[in-house]
Amino acid sequence: MCDYVYVRTAYRCRAYPDEQQQAALGRTFGCVRVVWNRTLAERQARWHAEHAGTSYAETDRALTAMKKDPRLAFLNQVSSVPLQQALRHQHAAFGAFFARRARYPRFKSRAGRQCAHYTRSAFSLRGGVLRLAKMVAPLRFTWTWPSIDLTALDPAMVIVAREPDGRWYVTFTVDAASEPLPETGRAVGVDLGVRDFAVTSAGGRIPNPRHLERRARNLARYQRRLARCQNGSRNRAKAKAKVARAHRKVRDARRDFLHKTSTRLVREHDIIVIEDLNVAGMVRNRRLARAVADCGWSEFRRQLEYKCRLYGRDLVVIDRWFPSSKTCSACGHVLAQLSLSTRHWTCPACRARHDRDLNAAKNILAAGRAVARGFLGDACGGDVRHAGSSRVQSPANQEPQPARTGIPALQGVE
């Protein structure tokens, strides 16, 4: 019998609210923004004055006081669930910040993406008809998953969002069961790059589509038109919407490419090994920032993580300091120096000729297999996630090892 894996899955659909619903949702977005910004400001003021943190219970009591304030009486006109969810999300955001998993929470702006989260007590989905709290008419949306029965869907949360380009979306989060995929008996090492998005240890190359670069001229033209418009004018609002639509097309194309690539790797391999890239540090280089950001490596890793957990695959993330490019995949010799412009090199020990990216992918696979077997321990690996387990081994920095001690020679690796 197969062991099913339960994960939280999201289904995002286009929504088409009428004018009254748009006005009601707009008020809800505004109230969520007010609660978030006021709570964040009070947190900061208390920290600077008393050097004391703020718990969720204290923010919840502060929300009750806000609703009693005559100047904030409009908070009582919308559902209280999205307001309470905003407090929970802010508390979680600070927890992630103090755990060094995210940056410091920022104030919300009315110009960005607006959203409201509804839990089960604030919505109903019966017979495929969605009704939200404080709304009379159902919210119309388009369901685009014909293989999934909408009438049998039991969402844990509904998220209504309005993008900067004016489009509306509704997202259903569901705790779904997934059956692990059958084993393929294959493992792959993936070396990510800019010239080629990825090079696999089997010799496959995935070209970099460069979505932003292909649409850079149109985006620059729309941004110039926006810069010439007067602040607060209707033409500026139209130009701003065109810029947002151009960014949405780039974002959707990139997301589609990453989903197709990650899904193909997960379906075809039992073990996937990648590097722990310092993407945040790379984007600080002004010469590489745009190209690195256009690749979407962080999003690619996130998709691999949840898809491996969903389909029973193993994802191994080796340490970022492992010299994958400078190590000979045939004999294990480590070069002292290897410039970024050198795409091919010959091993001085065994005279093997290497393609830089393919050699790195082979080394990544060998190091990942060694980590999974426990040969290297914490030396070169981290974030080893096995099927059906949520335990994650954090990577530990270590100096490169001498020659012939890092990885075993590859034999019959696909």
Side-chain angles (χ1 to χ4, degrees):
M1 180 180 294
C2 297
D3 295 331
Y4 286 88
V5 179
Y6 289 88
V7 295
R8 177 152 291 189
T9 307
Y11 300 97
R12 188 168 182 254
C13 315
R14 284 286 302 274
Y16 302 92
D18 55 29
E19 294 184 359
Q20 294 182 354
Q21 291 174 339
Q22 290 184 18
L25 290 172
R27 289 193 298 269
T28 304
F29 296 154
C31 293
V32 169
R33 192 169 59 247
V34 168
V35 170
W36 175 282
N37 291 341
R38 281 180 171 266
T39 305
L40 181 57
E42 292 177 0
R43 280 178 180 268
Q44 294 180 350
R46 182 179 181 184
W47 174 259
H48 290 300
E50 306 174 9
H51 289 280
T54 304
S55 65
Y56 169 75
E58 292 173 335
T59 60
D60 198 17
R61 289 192 293 268
L63 175 59
T64 304
M66 289 183 198
K67 290 185 174 183
K68 295 180 180 179
D69 190 347
R71 298 172 299 177
L72 302 176
F74 55 86
L75 295 178
N76 298 287
Q77 299 177 4
V78 301
S79 173
S80 61
V81 173
L83 307 184
Q84 294 172 343
Q85 287 299 117
L87 299 180
R88 292 189 178 95
H89 293 159
Q90 187 174 120
H91 184 72
F94 271 97
F97 168 73
F98 289 120
R100 297 185 178 181
R101 298 193 308 268
R103 59 186 177 184
Y104 190 82
R106 298 179 297 176
F107 290 95
K108 292 185 179 294
S109 170
R110 67 177 62 186
R113 178 178 179 269
Q114 308 294 317
C115 65
H117 295 68
Y118 295 83
T119 57
R120 284 192 174 98
S121 61
F123 74 89
S124 66
L125 182 64
R126 298 175 182 175
V129 179
L130 175 64
R131 296 180 182 274
L132 301 176
K134 298 289 181 105
M135 292 188 187
V136 178
L139 181 63
R140 189 166 63 93
F141 62 93
T142 302
W143 184 254
T144 54
W145 285 271
S147 60
I148 299 176
D149 186 11
L150 177 61
T151 58
L153 201 68
D154 184 22
M157 181 179 295
V158 170
I159 306 171
V160 182
R162 184 185 64 205
E163 298 293 337
D165 61 352
R167 286 192 174 189
W168 293 80
Y169 294 92
V170 58
T171 304
F172 302 92
T173 61
V174 182
D175 293 326
S178 175
E179 182 180 355
L181 294 175
E183 295 185 359
T184 63
R186 290 183 291 183
V188 65
V190 182
D191 178 64
L192 301 177
V194 175
R195 178 176 300 181
D196 292 315
F197 176 79
V199 178
T200 65
S201 56
R205 293 182 179 271
I206 303 174
N208 186 1
R210 302 178 185 272
H211 299 289
L212 182 60
E213 182 177 331
R214 289 190 300 170
R215 294 178 172 85
R217 293 185 61 184
N218 287 338
L219 183 59
R221 184 170 67 252
Y222 293 147
Q223 289 174 333
R224 287 195 297 267
R225 292 178 182 176
L226 176 62
R228 290 194 294 264
C229 293
Q230 184 178 0
N231 289 334
S233 63
R234 293 178 61 87
N235 287 336
R236 182 175 178 83
K238 296 178 182 178
K240 190 174 182 180
K242 288 186 177 180
V243 172
R245 283 195 293 269
H247 279 291
R248 173 180 53 81
K249 292 180 180 179
V250 174
R251 183 173 60 253
D252 291 347
R254 183 187 298 116
R255 185 184 295 116
D256 178 73
F257 165 76
L258 295 178
H259 272 295
K260 290 179 179 178
T261 303
S262 59
T263 299
R264 184 169 66 251
L265 289 174
V266 170
R267 286 178 177 175
E268 297 177 355
H269 304 90
D270 294 335
I271 301 176
I272 303 174
V273 189
I274 60 175
E275 284 184 297
D276 181 29
L277 298 177
N278 184 17
V279 180
M282 293 180 183
V283 296
R284 295 192 184 101
N285 187 334
R286 60 189 181 92
R287 295 184 179 180
L288 297 175
R290 178 179 294 183
V292 171
D294 193 19
C295 290
W297 291 334
S298 298
E299 174 64 15
F300 181 68
R301 173 175 170 174
R302 186 194 69 85
Q303 293 181 9
L304 283 178
E305 287 179 348
Y306 87 80
K307 290 179 182 179
C308 287
R309 185 168 60 252
L310 182 64
Y311 297 112
R313 303 306 197 194
D314 290 340
L315 177 66
V316 182
V317 184
I318 67 172
D319 192 88
R320 65 183 58 171
W321 303 111
F322 177 70
S324 58
S325 299
K326 298 191 297 182
T327 303
C328 176
S329 58
C331 68
H333 179 80
V334 181
L335 296 179
Q337 296 292 335
L338 182 64
S339 62
L340 186 61
S341 60
T342 303
R343 310 311 303 175
H344 298 82
W345 58 279
T346 303
C347 177
C350 66
R351 308 307 299 174
R353 183 69 174 171
H354 295 297
D355 175 272
R356 178 194 183 99
D357 298 331
L358 179 58
N359 177 70
K362 292 180 179 179
N363 288 330
I364 290 172
L365 174 60
R369 281 178 164 172
V371 170
R373 294 170 184 169
F375 291 160
L376 301 184
D378 294 336
C380 300
D383 291 356
V384 183
R385 190 186 299 273
H386 299 281
S389 173
S390 60
R391 296 179 59 190
V392 177
Q393 175 184 350
S394 300
N397 296 345
Q398 176 169 320
E399 295 296 328
Q401 298 294 321
R404 301 180 182 273
T405 62
I407 48 180
L410 298 179
Q411 298 178 357
V413 176
E414 297 193 19

